[in-house]
Amino acid sequence: MTDGPGTDSGKAEFARKQRARNWAIGAVLVALTVLFYALTIVRMGGH
Amino acid sequence: MAGAGLGMAELVPVAGGAAVEDYVALLKPRVMSLVVFTGITGLLLAPGALHPVLAVIAVLCIAVGAGASGAINMWYDRDIDALMTRTRDRPIPAGRMTAAEALGFGTTLAVGSVTLMGLALNWAAAALLLLTIAFYVGVYTMWLKRRTPQNIVIGGAAGAFPPMIGWAAVTGDVSLESLALFAIIFMWTPPHFWALALYRSADYARAGVPMLPVVAGLTETRRQILIYSLLLVPLTLVPVWLDVVGWTYGAVALVLGALFLLAAWRVWREASERSARHLFAFSILYLFLLFGALLVDGVGGI
């Protein structure tokens, strides 16, 4: 690593990774919501 | 003890600093692809039908459960991963992620995948998924890997369970047919991993992992590869004998088996790194093609 975590570029990199993770977690949560909705509908249909 | 001393090149990661790609890497996506494919094969070959949504959930659970095993494995093996060329760039030894983050991620996925499998499909499939994760983490990673050259022979069972899980997701039980699929992958695993170990033995020796080439030598490993390959080929015909598939698959299995034996024989005869690399690469293609033939014949009904 060329930039330590305490430097400006290190902090910016850290923030960028956290934003990307937040988006990924959001996408997973949305996907799980859709999945559980579909599962509930299928199960209520008697499958 | 795993991670007791990272030693020379200890890197201290910052918690929360890992990228999304690092979390994906923890799941061992290449291993997962083979697990998913064999799991789907078991699911589609099983007698009975599953609603597409439930089938997708079953495959998702198998994939996430396999990924969870990979993440927990990387947590436990972080000390030896740092010593091997092949694994030193993994997220923990490379210092991009803390060990606790990997363990938390893996455990969450393991609990989530098993619970979802039980609630959405059935508890037989969930129990098999739990057994797979426990076998890979507890039996292979923590118990056998650092203790015996039979590590991948017995531990290989973990990689052989997915078609049984897929099958159980549909039928809710374990049958002779699904055990036959298990047996094929179980017998395929030793020649597959020992071919890799033949040209990575220095890596394993440095990390103190008693792989067969390190403990018994290269010649004995080549002999064992040939023996297991000879046992593998007849086993691939058991699904035909059990009427799961027909002779279209049988013919493909025989041709692929002959090629596998040829590659194993070359490893034994030539004793070169090139032949070992060839067998390792071919063994992956072999399993994909073999299970592809099972799918085509069994589901397509050719």
Short mmCIF file of all heavy atoms in Angstrom, two decimals, chain B residues 205-271:
data_model
loop_
_atom_site.label_atom_id
_atom_site.label_comp_id
_atom_site.label_asym_id
_atom_site.label_seq_id
_atom_site.Cartn_x
_atom_site.Cartn_y
_atom_site.Cartn_z
N ALA B 205 4.61 -27.72 1.66
CA ALA B 205 5.67 -28.06 2.61
C ALA B 205 6.04 -26.83 3.46
O ALA B 205 6.21 -26.93 4.67
CB ALA B 205 6.89 -28.57 1.85
N ARG B 206 6.13 -25.67 2.81
CA ARG B 206 6.47 -24.43 3.51
C ARG B 206 5.43 -24.10 4.58
O ARG B 206 5.75 -23.63 5.66
CB ARG B 206 6.57 -23.28 2.50
CG ARG B 206 7.20 -22.04 3.06
CD ARG B 206 7.64 -21.05 1.99
NE ARG B 206 6.67 -20.82 0.95
CZ ARG B 206 6.85 -21.09 -0.33
NH1 ARG B 206 7.97 -21.64 -0.71
NH2 ARG B 206 5.91 -20.84 -1.23
N ALA B 207 4.16 -24.40 4.25
CA ALA B 207 3.08 -24.09 5.19
C ALA B 207 2.86 -25.21 6.21
O ALA B 207 2.06 -25.07 7.12
CB ALA B 207 1.79 -23.83 4.41
N GLY B 208 3.58 -26.32 6.03
CA GLY B 208 3.44 -27.44 6.97
C GLY B 208 2.15 -28.23 6.79
O GLY B 208 1.70 -28.90 7.72
N VAL B 209 1.56 -28.15 5.59
CA VAL B 209 0.34 -28.93 5.32
C VAL B 209 0.78 -30.30 4.77
O VAL B 209 1.46 -30.37 3.75
CB VAL B 209 -0.57 -28.21 4.30
CG1 VAL B 209 -1.80 -29.05 4.00
CG2 VAL B 209 -0.97 -26.84 4.82
N PRO B 210 0.41 -31.39 5.44
CA PRO B 210 0.91 -32.72 5.04
C PRO B 210 0.19 -33.31 3.83
O PRO B 210 -0.40 -34.39 3.92
CB PRO B 210 0.66 -33.55 6.30
CG PRO B 210 -0.57 -32.95 6.89
CD PRO B 210 -0.52 -31.48 6.59
N MET B 211 0.26 -32.60 2.72
CA MET B 211 -0.35 -33.17 1.51
C MET B 211 0.47 -34.40 1.10
O MET B 211 1.65 -34.52 1.43
CB MET B 211 -0.35 -32.14 0.38
CG MET B 211 -1.32 -30.99 0.59
SD MET B 211 -3.05 -31.48 0.66
CE MET B 211 -3.46 -31.59 -1.08
N LEU B 212 -0.17 -35.31 0.37
CA LEU B 212 0.46 -36.59 0.03
C LEU B 212 1.86 -36.45 -0.59
O LEU B 212 2.78 -37.17 -0.19
CB LEU B 212 -0.47 -37.41 -0.88
CG LEU B 212 -0.14 -38.88 -1.02
CD1 LEU B 212 -0.18 -39.60 0.32
CD2 LEU B 212 -1.09 -39.55 -1.99
N PRO B 213 2.08 -35.52 -1.56
CA PRO B 213 3.43 -35.41 -2.14
C PRO B 213 4.48 -35.00 -1.11
O PRO B 213 5.63 -35.40 -1.21
CB PRO B 213 3.28 -34.31 -3.20
CG PRO B 213 1.83 -34.21 -3.48
CD PRO B 213 1.13 -34.59 -2.21
N VAL B 214 4.06 -34.22 -0.11
CA VAL B 214 4.99 -33.76 0.92
C VAL B 214 5.37 -34.92 1.84
O VAL B 214 6.53 -35.10 2.20
CB VAL B 214 4.36 -32.61 1.76
CG1 VAL B 214 5.30 -32.19 2.88
CG2 VAL B 214 3.98 -31.44 0.87
N VAL B 215 4.38 -35.74 2.19
CA VAL B 215 4.59 -36.81 3.17
C VAL B 215 5.09 -38.11 2.52
O VAL B 215 6.03 -38.73 3.01
CB VAL B 215 3.26 -37.09 3.94
CG1 VAL B 215 3.43 -38.26 4.89
CG2 VAL B 215 2.83 -35.84 4.68
N ALA B 216 4.45 -38.50 1.43
CA ALA B 216 4.78 -39.81 0.83
C ALA B 216 5.64 -39.71 -0.43
O ALA B 216 6.09 -40.73 -0.95
CB ALA B 216 3.48 -40.55 0.51
N GLY B 217 5.85 -38.49 -0.92
CA GLY B 217 6.67 -38.31 -2.11
C GLY B 217 5.86 -38.25 -3.40
O GLY B 217 4.68 -38.63 -3.43
N LEU B 218 6.51 -37.77 -4.46
CA LEU B 218 5.82 -37.55 -5.74
C LEU B 218 5.44 -38.87 -6.41
O LEU B 218 4.35 -38.99 -6.98
CB LEU B 218 6.71 -36.72 -6.67
CG LEU B 218 7.15 -35.34 -6.15
CD1 LEU B 218 8.01 -34.63 -7.18
CD2 LEU B 218 5.93 -34.48 -5.80
N THR B 219 6.32 -39.86 -6.33
CA THR B 219 6.05 -41.14 -7.01
C THR B 219 4.82 -41.83 -6.42
O THR B 219 3.95 -42.29 -7.17
CB THR B 219 7.27 -42.08 -6.88
OG1 THR B 219 8.43 -41.36 -7.33
CG2 THR B 219 7.09 -43.34 -7.69
N GLU B 220 4.74 -41.87 -5.09
CA GLU B 220 3.59 -42.50 -4.44
C GLU B 220 2.30 -41.73 -4.76
O GLU B 220 1.24 -42.34 -4.97
CB GLU B 220 3.81 -42.55 -2.92
CG GLU B 220 2.66 -43.13 -2.11
CD GLU B 220 2.29 -44.56 -2.50
OE1 GLU B 220 3.10 -45.25 -3.14
OE2 GLU B 220 1.15 -44.98 -2.19
N THR B 221 2.40 -40.40 -4.84
CA THR B 221 1.22 -39.59 -5.17
C THR B 221 0.73 -39.91 -6.58
O THR B 221 -0.48 -40.06 -6.79
CB THR B 221 1.56 -38.08 -5.08
OG1 THR B 221 2.10 -37.83 -3.79
CG2 THR B 221 0.33 -37.22 -5.29
N ARG B 222 1.65 -40.04 -7.51
CA ARG B 222 1.27 -40.37 -8.89
C ARG B 222 0.59 -41.74 -8.94
O ARG B 222 -0.37 -41.94 -9.69
CB ARG B 222 2.52 -40.36 -9.79
CG ARG B 222 3.09 -38.98 -9.98
CD ARG B 222 4.23 -38.97 -10.99
NE ARG B 222 4.91 -37.68 -10.93
CZ ARG B 222 6.11 -37.49 -10.38
NH1 ARG B 222 6.79 -38.51 -9.89
NH2 ARG B 222 6.64 -36.28 -10.36
N ARG B 223 1.10 -42.67 -8.12
CA ARG B 223 0.51 -44.02 -8.08
C ARG B 223 -0.92 -43.95 -7.51
O ARG B 223 -1.85 -44.57 -8.03
CB ARG B 223 1.39 -44.93 -7.22
CG ARG B 223 1.19 -46.42 -7.46
CD ARG B 223 2.21 -47.22 -6.66
NE ARG B 223 1.90 -47.20 -5.23
CZ ARG B 223 1.11 -48.08 -4.61
NH1 ARG B 223 0.56 -49.04 -5.29
NH2 ARG B 223 0.88 -48.00 -3.32
N GLN B 224 -1.07 -43.18 -6.46
CA GLN B 224 -2.39 -43.02 -5.84
C GLN B 224 -3.38 -42.34 -6.78
O GLN B 224 -4.56 -42.69 -6.82
CB GLN B 224 -2.28 -42.21 -4.54
CG GLN B 224 -1.54 -42.93 -3.42
CD GLN B 224 -2.33 -44.11 -2.87
OE1 GLN B 224 -3.54 -44.11 -2.83
NE2 GLN B 224 -1.62 -45.15 -2.45
N ILE B 225 -2.90 -41.37 -7.54
CA ILE B 225 -3.75 -40.70 -8.52
C ILE B 225 -4.30 -41.72 -9.52
O ILE B 225 -5.49 -41.73 -9.83
CB ILE B 225 -2.97 -39.57 -9.26
CG1 ILE B 225 -2.78 -38.36 -8.34
CG2 ILE B 225 -3.68 -39.16 -10.56
CD1 ILE B 225 -1.94 -37.25 -8.93
N LEU B 226 -3.40 -42.59 -10.00
CA LEU B 226 -3.82 -43.60 -10.98
C LEU B 226 -4.83 -44.57 -10.36
O LEU B 226 -5.84 -44.92 -10.99
CB LEU B 226 -2.58 -44.36 -11.48
CG LEU B 226 -2.80 -45.22 -12.72
CD1 LEU B 226 -3.32 -44.41 -13.90
CD2 LEU B 226 -1.51 -45.93 -13.11
N ILE B 227 -4.59 -44.99 -9.11
CA ILE B 227 -5.51 -45.93 -8.44
C ILE B 227 -6.90 -45.30 -8.28
O ILE B 227 -7.92 -45.91 -8.63
CB ILE B 227 -4.95 -46.34 -7.05
CG1 ILE B 227 -3.69 -47.19 -7.23
CG2 ILE B 227 -6.00 -47.10 -6.24
CD1 ILE B 227 -2.93 -47.46 -5.94
N TYR B 228 -6.95 -44.07 -7.77
CA TYR B 228 -8.25 -43.41 -7.59
C TYR B 228 -8.95 -43.15 -8.93
O TYR B 228 -10.17 -43.22 -9.02
CB TYR B 228 -8.08 -42.11 -6.80
CG TYR B 228 -8.09 -42.32 -5.30
CD1 TYR B 228 -6.92 -42.62 -4.61
CD2 TYR B 228 -9.27 -42.27 -4.57
CE1 TYR B 228 -6.92 -42.85 -3.24
CE2 TYR B 228 -9.29 -42.50 -3.20
CZ TYR B 228 -8.11 -42.78 -2.54
OH TYR B 228 -8.12 -43.01 -1.19
N SER B 229 -8.17 -42.87 -9.97
CA SER B 229 -8.77 -42.66 -11.29
C SER B 229 -9.40 -43.95 -11.80
O SER B 229 -10.47 -43.95 -12.41
CB SER B 229 -7.72 -42.16 -12.29
OG SER B 229 -7.11 -40.99 -11.80
N LEU B 230 -8.70 -45.08 -11.55
CA LEU B 230 -9.23 -46.38 -11.97
C LEU B 230 -10.52 -46.73 -11.21
O LEU B 230 -11.41 -47.39 -11.74
CB LEU B 230 -8.18 -47.48 -11.73
CG LEU B 230 -7.03 -47.52 -12.74
CD1 LEU B 230 -5.88 -48.38 -12.22
CD2 LEU B 230 -7.51 -48.04 -14.09
N LEU B 231 -10.61 -46.29 -9.96
CA LEU B 231 -11.83 -46.53 -9.19
C LEU B 231 -12.96 -45.60 -9.60
O LEU B 231 -14.14 -45.94 -9.55
CB LEU B 231 -11.54 -46.34 -7.68
CG LEU B 231 -10.59 -47.35 -7.04
CD1 LEU B 231 -10.23 -46.91 -5.63
CD2 LEU B 231 -11.23 -48.73 -7.01
N LEU B 232 -12.57 -44.39 -10.04
CA LEU B 232 -13.56 -43.38 -10.41
C LEU B 232 -14.39 -43.78 -11.64
O LEU B 232 -15.62 -43.66 -11.62
CB LEU B 232 -12.85 -42.04 -10.68
CG LEU B 232 -13.67 -40.94 -11.36
CD1 LEU B 232 -14.78 -40.44 -10.44
CD2 LEU B 232 -12.77 -39.76 -11.76
N VAL B 233 -13.71 -44.26 -12.66
CA VAL B 233 -14.40 -44.49 -13.95
C VAL B 233 -15.59 -45.47 -13.83
O VAL B 233 -16.70 -45.15 -14.29
CB VAL B 233 -13.40 -44.93 -15.04
CG1 VAL B 233 -14.12 -45.26 -16.34
CG2 VAL B 233 -12.40 -43.79 -15.28
N PRO B 234 -15.41 -46.65 -13.21
CA PRO B 234 -16.60 -47.53 -13.08
C PRO B 234 -17.72 -46.90 -12.24
O PRO B 234 -18.89 -47.14 -12.51
CB PRO B 234 -16.05 -48.79 -12.40
CG PRO B 234 -14.63 -48.56 -12.09
CD PRO B 234 -14.18 -47.31 -12.73
N LEU B 235 -17.32 -46.09 -11.24
CA LEU B 235 -18.34 -45.44 -10.40
C LEU B 235 -19.24 -44.50 -11.20
O LEU B 235 -20.42 -44.34 -10.90
CB LEU B 235 -17.67 -44.63 -9.29
CG LEU B 235 -17.56 -45.25 -7.91
CD1 LEU B 235 -16.90 -44.27 -6.95
CD2 LEU B 235 -18.94 -45.63 -7.38
N THR B 236 -18.66 -43.89 -12.26
CA THR B 236 -19.44 -42.94 -13.06
C THR B 236 -20.57 -43.64 -13.82
O THR B 236 -21.47 -42.99 -14.34
CB THR B 236 -18.55 -42.16 -14.05
OG1 THR B 236 -17.94 -43.09 -14.94
CG2 THR B 236 -17.50 -41.34 -13.33
N LEU B 237 -20.48 -44.98 -13.92
CA LEU B 237 -21.53 -45.73 -14.64
C LEU B 237 -22.67 -46.17 -13.72
O LEU B 237 -23.70 -46.67 -14.20
CB LEU B 237 -20.92 -46.94 -15.34
CG LEU B 237 -19.90 -46.61 -16.44
CD1 LEU B 237 -19.28 -47.88 -16.99
CD2 LEU B 237 -20.55 -45.80 -17.56
N VAL B 238 -22.51 -45.98 -12.43
CA VAL B 238 -23.56 -46.41 -11.48
C VAL B 238 -24.91 -45.72 -11.76
O VAL B 238 -25.96 -46.37 -11.69
CB VAL B 238 -23.09 -46.19 -10.02
CG1 VAL B 238 -24.22 -46.48 -9.03
CG2 VAL B 238 -21.90 -47.09 -9.71
N PRO B 239 -24.94 -44.41 -12.11
CA PRO B 239 -26.25 -43.79 -12.41
C PRO B 239 -27.00 -44.48 -13.56
O PRO B 239 -28.22 -44.49 -13.58
CB PRO B 239 -25.88 -42.35 -12.78
CG PRO B 239 -24.62 -42.09 -12.05
CD PRO B 239 -23.87 -43.38 -12.07
N VAL B 240 -26.25 -45.08 -14.50
CA VAL B 240 -26.88 -45.83 -15.59
C VAL B 240 -27.50 -47.11 -15.03
O VAL B 240 -28.65 -47.44 -15.31
CB VAL B 240 -25.85 -46.20 -16.69
CG1 VAL B 240 -26.53 -46.99 -17.81
CG2 VAL B 240 -25.19 -44.95 -17.24
N TRP B 241 -26.73 -47.80 -14.19
CA TRP B 241 -27.18 -49.04 -13.57
C TRP B 241 -28.41 -48.79 -12.69
O TRP B 241 -29.31 -49.63 -12.61
CB TRP B 241 -26.01 -49.62 -12.76
CG TRP B 241 -26.33 -50.88 -12.03
CD1 TRP B 241 -26.78 -52.04 -12.57
CD2 TRP B 241 -26.24 -51.09 -10.63
NE1 TRP B 241 -26.97 -52.98 -11.59
CE2 TRP B 241 -26.64 -52.43 -10.38
CE3 TRP B 241 -25.84 -50.31 -9.54
CZ2 TRP B 241 -26.67 -52.98 -9.10
CZ3 TRP B 241 -25.87 -50.85 -8.27
CH2 TRP B 241 -26.28 -52.16 -8.06
N LEU B 242 -28.48 -47.62 -12.08
CA LEU B 242 -29.61 -47.28 -11.20
C LEU B 242 -30.79 -46.69 -11.98
O LEU B 242 -31.78 -46.25 -11.37
CB LEU B 242 -29.17 -46.30 -10.10
CG LEU B 242 -28.23 -46.86 -9.03
CD1 LEU B 242 -27.76 -45.75 -8.10
CD2 LEU B 242 -28.91 -47.96 -8.22
N ASP B 243 -30.63 -46.60 -13.31
CA ASP B 243 -31.70 -46.08 -14.17
C ASP B 243 -32.00 -44.60 -13.97
O ASP B 243 -33.11 -44.14 -14.29
CB ASP B 243 -33.01 -46.87 -13.94
CG ASP B 243 -33.23 -47.85 -15.08
OD1 ASP B 243 -32.53 -47.73 -16.10
OD2 ASP B 243 -34.10 -48.74 -14.95
N VAL B 244 -31.06 -43.86 -13.44
CA VAL B 244 -31.24 -42.41 -13.31
C VAL B 244 -31.10 -41.79 -14.70
O VAL B 244 -31.81 -40.86 -15.07
CB VAL B 244 -30.17 -41.80 -12.36
CG1 VAL B 244 -30.34 -40.29 -12.25
CG2 VAL B 244 -30.27 -42.44 -10.99
N VAL B 245 -30.16 -42.32 -15.47
CA VAL B 245 -29.92 -41.86 -16.84
C VAL B 245 -29.71 -43.07 -17.75
O VAL B 245 -29.62 -44.21 -17.26
CB VAL B 245 -28.65 -40.96 -16.92
CG1 VAL B 245 -28.92 -39.56 -16.40
CG2 VAL B 245 -27.50 -41.59 -16.15
N GLY B 246 -29.61 -42.81 -19.04
CA GLY B 246 -29.46 -43.90 -20.01
C GLY B 246 -28.03 -44.02 -20.52
O GLY B 246 -27.10 -43.43 -19.95
N TRP B 247 -27.89 -44.75 -21.63
CA TRP B 247 -26.56 -45.03 -22.16
C TRP B 247 -25.96 -43.89 -22.96
O TRP B 247 -24.80 -43.94 -23.36
CB TRP B 247 -26.57 -46.34 -22.93
CG TRP B 247 -26.35 -47.48 -21.99
CD1 TRP B 247 -27.30 -48.34 -21.53
CD2 TRP B 247 -25.12 -47.84 -21.33
NE1 TRP B 247 -26.73 -49.22 -20.62
CE2 TRP B 247 -25.40 -48.94 -20.48
CE3 TRP B 247 -23.82 -47.33 -21.36
CZ2 TRP B 247 -24.43 -49.54 -19.69
CZ3 TRP B 247 -22.86 -47.93 -20.56
CH2 TRP B 247 -23.15 -49.02 -19.75
N THR B 248 -26.77 -42.83 -23.24
CA THR B 248 -26.16 -41.64 -23.86
C THR B 248 -25.15 -41.07 -22.88
O THR B 248 -23.99 -40.80 -23.23
CB THR B 248 -27.23 -40.57 -24.18
OG1 THR B 248 -28.23 -41.17 -24.99
CG2 THR B 248 -26.63 -39.38 -24.91
N TYR B 249 -25.61 -40.93 -21.62
CA TYR B 249 -24.69 -40.49 -20.57
C TYR B 249 -23.59 -41.53 -20.40
O TYR B 249 -22.40 -41.18 -20.26
CB TYR B 249 -25.42 -40.29 -19.24
CG TYR B 249 -24.48 -40.35 -18.06
CD1 TYR B 249 -23.72 -39.24 -17.72
CD2 TYR B 249 -24.32 -41.52 -17.32
CE1 TYR B 249 -22.80 -39.30 -16.65
CE2 TYR B 249 -23.41 -41.60 -16.26
CZ TYR B 249 -22.67 -40.49 -15.94
OH TYR B 249 -21.77 -40.55 -14.91
N GLY B 250 -23.96 -42.81 -20.40
CA GLY B 250 -22.99 -43.88 -20.20
C GLY B 250 -21.85 -43.81 -21.21
O GLY B 250 -20.67 -43.96 -20.84
N ALA B 251 -22.20 -43.53 -22.46
CA ALA B 251 -21.17 -43.45 -23.51
C ALA B 251 -20.25 -42.26 -23.25
O ALA B 251 -19.02 -42.36 -23.37
CB ALA B 251 -21.84 -43.32 -24.88
N VAL B 252 -20.87 -41.11 -22.89
CA VAL B 252 -20.06 -39.91 -22.59
C VAL B 252 -19.14 -40.18 -21.40
O VAL B 252 -17.96 -39.83 -21.41
CB VAL B 252 -20.98 -38.69 -22.30
CG1 VAL B 252 -20.16 -37.49 -21.85
CG2 VAL B 252 -21.79 -38.34 -23.54
N ALA B 253 -19.69 -40.85 -20.38
CA ALA B 253 -18.91 -41.14 -19.18
C ALA B 253 -17.72 -42.04 -19.51
O ALA B 253 -16.62 -41.87 -18.96
CB ALA B 253 -19.79 -41.79 -18.12
N LEU B 254 -17.95 -43.00 -20.43
CA LEU B 254 -16.86 -43.91 -20.80
C LEU B 254 -15.76 -43.18 -21.55
O LEU B 254 -14.56 -43.37 -21.29
CB LEU B 254 -17.41 -45.06 -21.65
CG LEU B 254 -18.07 -46.20 -20.86
CD1 LEU B 254 -18.72 -47.20 -21.81
CD2 LEU B 254 -17.05 -46.90 -19.96
N VAL B 255 -16.18 -42.31 -22.50
CA VAL B 255 -15.17 -41.55 -23.27
C VAL B 255 -14.39 -40.61 -22.34
O VAL B 255 -13.15 -40.56 -22.36
CB VAL B 255 -15.86 -40.74 -24.41
CG1 VAL B 255 -14.86 -39.80 -25.08
CG2 VAL B 255 -16.47 -41.68 -25.43
N LEU B 256 -15.14 -39.86 -21.50
CA LEU B 256 -14.48 -38.94 -20.57
C LEU B 256 -13.58 -39.71 -19.60
O LEU B 256 -12.48 -39.27 -19.28
CB LEU B 256 -15.51 -38.14 -19.78
CG LEU B 256 -16.25 -37.05 -20.55
CD1 LEU B 256 -17.37 -36.46 -19.68
CD2 LEU B 256 -15.29 -35.93 -20.96
N GLY B 257 -14.06 -40.88 -19.16
CA GLY B 257 -13.28 -41.70 -18.25
C GLY B 257 -11.98 -42.16 -18.89
O GLY B 257 -10.92 -42.16 -18.24
N ALA B 258 -12.05 -42.54 -20.17
CA ALA B 258 -10.84 -42.97 -20.88
C ALA B 258 -9.84 -41.82 -20.96
O ALA B 258 -8.63 -42.01 -20.76
CB ALA B 258 -11.22 -43.45 -22.28
N LEU B 259 -10.36 -40.60 -21.23
CA LEU B 259 -9.46 -39.43 -21.30
C LEU B 259 -8.85 -39.12 -19.93
O LEU B 259 -7.68 -38.75 -19.83
CB LEU B 259 -10.24 -38.21 -21.82
CG LEU B 259 -10.69 -38.30 -23.28
CD1 LEU B 259 -11.62 -37.12 -23.62
CD2 LEU B 259 -9.48 -38.30 -24.21
N PHE B 260 -9.68 -39.29 -18.88
CA PHE B 260 -9.18 -39.04 -17.52
C PHE B 260 -8.07 -40.04 -17.18
O PHE B 260 -7.02 -39.66 -16.64
CB PHE B 260 -10.35 -39.16 -16.52
CG PHE B 260 -10.06 -38.55 -15.17
CD1 PHE B 260 -10.54 -37.28 -14.86
CD2 PHE B 260 -9.31 -39.22 -14.22
CE1 PHE B 260 -10.28 -36.70 -13.62
CE2 PHE B 260 -9.05 -38.65 -12.98
CZ PHE B 260 -9.54 -37.39 -12.68
N LEU B 261 -8.33 -41.31 -17.52
CA LEU B 261 -7.33 -42.34 -17.24
C LEU B 261 -6.04 -42.10 -18.02
O LEU B 261 -4.94 -42.30 -17.49
CB LEU B 261 -7.89 -43.72 -17.60
CG LEU B 261 -8.84 -44.34 -16.58
CD1 LEU B 261 -9.40 -45.66 -17.09
CD2 LEU B 261 -8.11 -44.58 -15.25
N LEU B 262 -6.20 -41.63 -19.25
CA LEU B 262 -5.03 -41.32 -20.07
C LEU B 262 -4.20 -40.22 -19.40
O LEU B 262 -2.97 -40.31 -19.31
CB LEU B 262 -5.47 -40.89 -21.47
CG LEU B 262 -4.37 -40.59 -22.48
CD1 LEU B 262 -3.59 -41.87 -22.81
CD2 LEU B 262 -4.94 -39.98 -23.76
N ALA B 263 -4.90 -39.17 -18.94
CA ALA B 263 -4.19 -38.05 -18.29
C ALA B 263 -3.52 -38.53 -16.99
O ALA B 263 -2.38 -38.14 -16.69
CB ALA B 263 -5.17 -36.92 -17.99
N ALA B 264 -4.21 -39.40 -16.24
CA ALA B 264 -3.64 -39.91 -14.98
C ALA B 264 -2.45 -40.83 -15.27
O ALA B 264 -1.44 -40.82 -14.56
CB ALA B 264 -4.70 -40.67 -14.20
N TRP B 265 -2.59 -41.62 -16.34
CA TRP B 265 -1.49 -42.52 -16.72
C TRP B 265 -0.26 -41.72 -17.14
O TRP B 265 0.86 -42.06 -16.80
CB TRP B 265 -1.96 -43.43 -17.87
CG TRP B 265 -0.92 -44.44 -18.28
CD1 TRP B 265 -0.61 -45.61 -17.65
CD2 TRP B 265 -0.06 -44.35 -19.41
NE1 TRP B 265 0.40 -46.26 -18.32
CE2 TRP B 265 0.76 -45.52 -19.41
CE3 TRP B 265 0.11 -43.42 -20.44
CZ2 TRP B 265 1.73 -45.75 -20.37
CZ3 TRP B 265 1.08 -43.64 -21.40
CH2 TRP B 265 1.87 -44.81 -21.36
N ARG B 266 -0.50 -40.60 -17.86
CA ARG B 266 0.63 -39.74 -18.26
C ARG B 266 1.34 -39.15 -17.05
O ARG B 266 2.56 -39.04 -17.03
CB ARG B 266 0.11 -38.60 -19.15
CG ARG B 266 0.04 -38.99 -20.60
CD ARG B 266 -0.29 -37.79 -21.46
NE ARG B 266 -0.38 -38.16 -22.85
CZ ARG B 266 -1.14 -37.54 -23.73
NH1 ARG B 266 -1.87 -36.53 -23.35
NH2 ARG B 266 -1.16 -37.94 -24.98
N VAL B 267 0.54 -38.75 -16.04
CA VAL B 267 1.13 -38.22 -14.81
C VAL B 267 2.05 -39.28 -14.19
O VAL B 267 3.17 -38.98 -13.77
CB VAL B 267 0.03 -37.80 -13.80
CG1 VAL B 267 0.61 -37.54 -12.41
CG2 VAL B 267 -0.71 -36.57 -14.30
N TRP B 268 1.58 -40.51 -14.17
CA TRP B 268 2.33 -41.61 -13.57
C TRP B 268 3.58 -41.95 -14.39
O TRP B 268 4.66 -42.17 -13.87
CB TRP B 268 1.40 -42.83 -13.45
CG TRP B 268 2.02 -44.02 -12.83
CD1 TRP B 268 2.49 -44.14 -11.55
CD2 TRP B 268 2.28 -45.28 -13.46
NE1 TRP B 268 3.00 -45.39 -11.34
CE2 TRP B 268 2.88 -46.13 -12.49
CE3 TRP B 268 2.04 -45.78 -14.75
CZ2 TRP B 268 3.25 -47.43 -12.78
CZ3 TRP B 268 2.40 -47.09 -15.03
CH2 TRP B 268 3.01 -47.90 -14.05
N ARG B 269 3.41 -41.96 -15.71
CA ARG B 269 4.46 -42.40 -16.62
C ARG B 269 5.51 -41.31 -16.86
O ARG B 269 6.70 -41.56 -16.79
CB ARG B 269 3.79 -42.78 -17.95
CG ARG B 269 4.65 -43.56 -18.89
CD ARG B 269 4.72 -45.01 -18.50
NE ARG B 269 5.68 -45.70 -19.36
CZ ARG B 269 6.41 -46.73 -18.96
NH1 ARG B 269 6.28 -47.20 -17.76
NH2 ARG B 269 7.25 -47.32 -19.78
N GLU B 270 5.03 -40.08 -17.15
CA GLU B 270 5.96 -39.00 -17.54
C GLU B 270 6.60 -38.34 -16.32
O GLU B 270 7.69 -37.79 -16.41
CB GLU B 270 5.23 -37.94 -18.37
CG GLU B 270 4.83 -38.44 -19.76
CD GLU B 270 4.05 -37.40 -20.54
OE1 GLU B 270 4.03 -36.21 -20.12
OE2 GLU B 270 3.45 -37.77 -21.56
N ALA B 271 5.86 -38.31 -15.21
CA ALA B 271 6.36 -37.68 -13.99
C ALA B 271 6.81 -36.23 -14.22
O ALA B 271 7.84 -35.80 -13.73
CB ALA B 271 7.51 -38.51 -13.40
#
